[in-house]
Amino acid sequence: MKIVFFSSKPYDEIWFTPLCDDYGYTPIYLTSKLTPDTAALSQKGDLVCAFVNDDLSEETVAELAKYNIQGILMRCAGFNNVDIRACQKYNIPVLRVPGYSPQAVAEFAMGLYLCVNRRIHKAYARTRDFNMNINGLMGRDIHGCTAGIIGTGKIGQAMIKICKGFDMNVIAYDPYPNNSLDIKYVDLDYLFRTSDFISLHCPLTNETKYIIDEAALSKMRKGIFIVNTSRGQLIKTDALLEALLTPGRIGGVGLDVYEEESDLYYEDKSSEIIEDEKLARLITFPNVILTSHQGYFTREAMQAIAIETLENAYALFNSLPLTNQITVP
Ligand code: NAI
């Protein structure tokens, strides 16, 4: 059985190769992104394994169907880049890894908050140059501040625990509240108005697209901190840029995801001219940190992703129940 990996990186091979050996599967690693134009490269495989920025639109899925691809393995949790209806139309099951290490992402989100609040990224750059001046690096105690968590699923819950560990006052919004959590659920408006720090942990859907837009930003406290480790389109970048231009309005922003990340992230673009002016502008702000969608990137998470992805392949190849299949509601 052959699995064609798109958008493959050396760290994928490290985890998948020995496990594929154990299962008796042959991995075919391709560095290309999956798009309608590259889908033909899947023809030597039985299954396709894709990642967060691969394009699984109807056009791509139709191409995969031409080559008799029997299933799509998403080696990630989010699936906003997959046209599930098209997959059902072409009878190609799609499986994902719903939860591998929620702590990895939540710890990273808190890391972004701490870093941007205390300007650790700036301090690091200064001290490397023996500039020991601390002007402009003043942050805020986070103890006692209010954390607003949007989305209280696996990662949101891990984040709530972390925030409580910092003695923060935690409030949350989720249209499907989990009453077993010791947490005060509030409506979005209240969350926007009363939080000192907002962390996004909901999926990207039609309802959540641009959940942080001009209107939301206008309600937020002066000096608000915002961290997004979920999906770029949860934040309207134009609105964020506008807000960042008013001194003091935004305390800091940590973005592990960006709405136009798909052609940029995971690639070394350091020798190229960056045409994305919004991204370039974001990077100029002293109170903004960008990372390249690496919230999940720990040993534990990578190992869990590889194991669960190949378990999904095993279920497909052996006609077992597909517990991680994504279906249209
Ligand atoms: P989950 O499915 O366990 O939780 C999502 C929560 O969001 C659920 O409780 C759901 O009720 C809630 N939700 C749905 N619609 C909402 C809305 N309109 N407003 C507020 N909340 C809403 O998902 P999990 O594992 O916690 O992951 C969350 C997101 O994190 C994923 O969808 C993915 O986009 C992102 N992610 C990012 C990673 C990274 O490396 N940066 C890695 C893994 C996931």
Side-chain angles (χ1 to χ4, degrees):
M1 293 299 183
K2 291 181 182 160
I3 306 177
V4 181
F5 289 74
F6 282 88
S7 301
S8 175
K9 298 288 179 204
Y11 44 81
D12 292 311
E13 297 188 29
I14 289 171
W15 293 102
F16 276 101
T17 302
L19 274 171
C20 279
D21 278 354
D22 288 349
Y23 280 87
Y25 302 151
T26 306
I28 300 171
Y29 298 112
L30 303 177
T31 53
S32 327
K33 257 177 69 174
L34 176 57
T35 66
D37 294 335
T38 62
L41 297 171
S42 69
Q43 59 189 289
K44 288 190 185 142
D46 301 291
L47 301 181
V48 153
C49 184
F51 197 45
V52 289
N53 288 327
D54 284 312
D55 167 358
L56 286 131
S57 58
E58 174 151 14
E59 216 186 324
T60 306
V61 176
E63 284 295 310
L64 294 179
K66 278 191 203 163
Y67 302 106
N68 291 325
I69 291 303
Q70 294 165 39
I72 297 169
L73 305 168
M74 297 303 295
R75 54 181 190 278
C76 54
F79 53 90
N80 50 283
N81 53 331
V82 186
D83 186 333
I84 302 296
R85 283 180 202 283
C87 295
Q88 287 184 351
K89 178 173 148 191
Y90 289 98
N91 209 14
I92 303 181
V94 188
L95 291 91
R96 67 176 181 132
V97 184
Y100 37 87
S101 172
Q103 290 76 14
V105 184
E107 287 165 10
F108 194 79
M110 181 50 95
L112 285 177
Y113 176 35
L114 294 175
C115 188
V116 75
N117 173 16
R118 303 300 299 271
R119 305 290 194 258
I120 296 171
H121 58 305
K122 290 279 158 194
Y124 173 72
R126 281 191 198 180
T127 54
R128 278 174 62 92
D129 208 20
F130 293 97
N131 174 357
M132 303 304 182
N133 187 329
I134 63 168
N135 277 338
L137 303 185
M138 189 164 61
R140 281 190 66 174
D141 279 17
I142 62 172
H143 149 94
C145 283
T146 297
I149 308 298
I150 301 185
T152 57
K154 291 176 283 300
I155 298 172
Q157 287 174 41
M159 190 63 183
I160 289 168
K161 273 194 195 158
I162 292 173
C163 291
K164 286 188 173 177
F166 276 88
D167 241 344
M168 300 187 82
N169 167 37
V170 186
I171 57 175
Y173 169 73
D174 193 311
Y176 310 99
N178 178 343
N179 295 324
S180 70
L181 299 177
D182 178 20
I183 181 85
K184 182 180 170 195
Y185 279 102
V186 296
D187 61 37
L188 255 190
D189 187 72
Y190 184 88
L191 185 145
F192 288 147
R193 289 183 195 282
T194 54
S195 299
D196 301 295
F197 160 54
I198 293 174
S199 198
L200 294 167
H201 299 293
C202 54
L204 174 63
T205 62
N206 291 339
E207 290 74 46
T208 60
K209 184 175 176 189
Y210 294 157
I211 196 167
I212 305 245
D213 59 4
E214 291 88 349
L217 285 160
S218 72
K219 295 174 187 168
M220 292 178 194
R221 283 185 169 169
K222 210 165 166 247
I224 184 74
F225 284 87
I226 303 169
V227 164
N228 186 7
T229 54
S230 277
R231 284 296 179 266
Q233 285 181 37
L234 296 178
I235 298 184
K236 190 172 176 192
T237 310
D238 285 330
L240 181 63
L241 283 170
E242 189 61 39
L244 280 162
L245 284 170
T246 307
R249 193 166 158 201
I250 305 287
V253 179
L255 302 176
D256 188 42
V257 287
Y258 167 62
E259 61 172 317
E260 300 296 339
E261 72 178 47
S262 65
D263 289 331
L264 286 165
Y265 281 23
Y266 299 122
E267 303 303 329
D268 179 359
K269 301 278 181 185
S270 57
S271 316
E272 295 179 24
I273 291 167
I274 300 301
E275 290 176 10
D276 185 329
E277 291 183 5
K278 291 182 201 172
L279 183 71
R281 186 69 179 103
L282 271 176
I283 287 174
T284 65
F285 288 96
N287 55 344
V288 175
I289 304 178
L290 267 101
T291 49
S292 183
H293 206 142
Q294 67 172 90
Y296 73 99
F297 199 40
T298 64
R299 289 176 67 91
E300 291 75 11
M302 289 300 290
Q303 187 178 33
I305 289 170
I307 292 171
E308 196 67 17
T309 302
L310 293 187
E311 277 295 304
N312 286 340
Y314 185 83
L316 268 173
F317 285 139
N318 293 285
S319 307
L320 298 174
L322 303 180
T323 43
N324 290 329
Q325 183 171 8
I326 312 167
T327 50
V328 179

